[in-house]
Each structure stands twice: as structure tokens, then as C-alpha cells.
Amino acid sequence: LKEDLEVKIVLGNHDGDLETLLSPKVKLFKKELIESFSFGKITFTHGHTRISEEALKSDYIIMGHHHFTFKFPNTNRREPVWVFARINKRKLFSLEKEDPIIIILPAFNQMLLGYCINCEKREEKELNPLFREGIIDKRRSKIFSLDGIYIRSLVNLAYLS
């Protein structure tokens, strides 16, 4: 990496002592780990905490944390998926701007599949505040496979045991 490259790290809830693992060539933004940051009209956040009013002014919010997977019916096949949805920010703040799109990233490590979105009916309290408080608009959501094939929305998922 170039010496003058600025790297911003979005700290997750399991990233303790991350700084000790970084190459000396990688510099943390302002020498501290940050919970979220914006670049133009895009906000990057880990997703384990409540989203800020400032982040909701973005057009897009990129989030990890759950790294959802989808279990295909009548198989044992579970695959990482992308989740795109609108955030109903009026449930949080009275902002006039159009609801931002949230993109929930899949896990990119085959050893860590993530949270199975349809394996069994789970309490929303297990999910981050955006799901618990109904801020993710499931009616305006889409689930895609890693190669871009549309699977379905978050509404009325058929839960598999």
C-alpha cells in the first residue's frame, strides 16, 4: 500500500484490539477506530448500534454485522446474500429527504456464513435496532444471491427448520 493512503476502519462489535493486527503501512483515520463514516452521499457503518440522524441524510447506507444467509427450500444449501431495503427514517427522525437505501453486506469469508434470515422464526430482538424498531421497511426490500439473482423480499419469508 502507498504510504500516503488513508484507510478508514468501521469498527464492529467483535473487533477488539484490531489496531494491533494492522500492518504498519495501514494508518487509521485520525489514529482512532470509528463507528461510521460518510463519503459523499454514502455512509458506512458496522450495524450493531443505532444509526445516527446524520447517517440518515445519506442516499445509501452500507452495513455489515449480520451478514445474512438464505437457506434454499428442500436442501441443506445456505448461501450468503445481499439485502437491499429502504429505511423508514420517519420512525426515528422527522426528516424530509427520501428514505435512504440500506445495503446489508454478505459475509465474504466462507468460514463465517452469518445469520440465516429464513432458517427459523426468530425474535426481532436478536437483530440490530433497525430491525427491532421496524426501521427497515421489509415491503421495500430485495434479497439477492452473490451473483445477483433476485431471491425475494424480506416480507413473509417462509421459515425453515
Side-chain angles (χ1 to χ4, degrees):
L1 294 174
K2 289 176 56 176
E3 289 292 324
D4 61 346
L5 180 67
E6 181 179 80
V7 176
K8 294 182 181 183
I9 295 180
V10 177
L11 183 64
N13 56 323
H14 297 288
D15 294 333
D17 294 328
L18 183 63
E19 188 171 6
T20 62
L21 302 174
L22 296 176
S23 161
K25 289 186 175 185
V26 176
K27 295 177 180 146
L28 297 176
F29 181 68
K30 295 186 181 176
K31 296 287 184 195
E32 60 189 45
L33 297 171
I34 53 178
E35 195 169 284
S36 68
F37 71 92
S38 295
F39 182 76
K41 296 181 178 188
I42 302 170
T43 294
F44 297 85
T45 185
H46 180 256
H48 65 288
T49 59
R50 185 176 253 263
I51 218 157
S52 70
E53 183 172 358
E54 194 61 33
L56 289 172
K57 293 177 183 174
S58 298
D59 290 342
Y60 297 92
I61 298 168
I62 312 291
M63 182 181 98
H65 189 56
H66 291 300
H67 305 295
F68 290 123
T69 62
F70 185 85
K71 184 175 186 300
F72 290 88
N74 305 317
T75 71
N76 289 325
R77 195 170 119 216
R78 241 177 88 187
E79 291 193 14
V81 292
W82 295 90
V83 175
F84 292 76
R86 287 280 182 177
I87 291 182
N88 185 357
K89 66 183 174 212
R90 284 164 201 79
K91 290 196 173 200
L92 289 173
F93 307 103
S94 57
L95 298 172
E96 297 300 319
K97 193 174 165 300
E98 184 180 4
D99 292 338
I101 294 171
I102 187 163
I103 302 169
I104 303 171
L105 301 173
F108 295 104
N109 179 339
Q110 292 180 347
M111 301 294 288
L112 305 169
L113 273 179
Y115 186 95
C116 184
I117 203 165
N118 67 321
C119 285
E120 58 188 50
K121 185 95 171 147
R122 294 190 176 153
E123 295 296 318
E124 297 267 321
K125 67 183 179 187
E126 292 181 32
L127 298 170
N128 76 358
L130 296 174
F131 283 91
R132 278 196 309 268
E133 298 168 18
I135 297 161
I136 296 282
D137 189 340
K138 293 179 181 180
R139 293 170 296 119
R140 297 187 295 165
S141 67
K142 295 178 181 178
I143 301 170
F144 290 93
S145 67
L146 290 185
D147 53 1
I149 297 170
Y150 174 73
I151 297 172
R152 64 172 310 135
S153 77
L154 291 169
V155 177
N156 299 323
L157 282 174
Y159 292 99
L160 310 169
S161 43

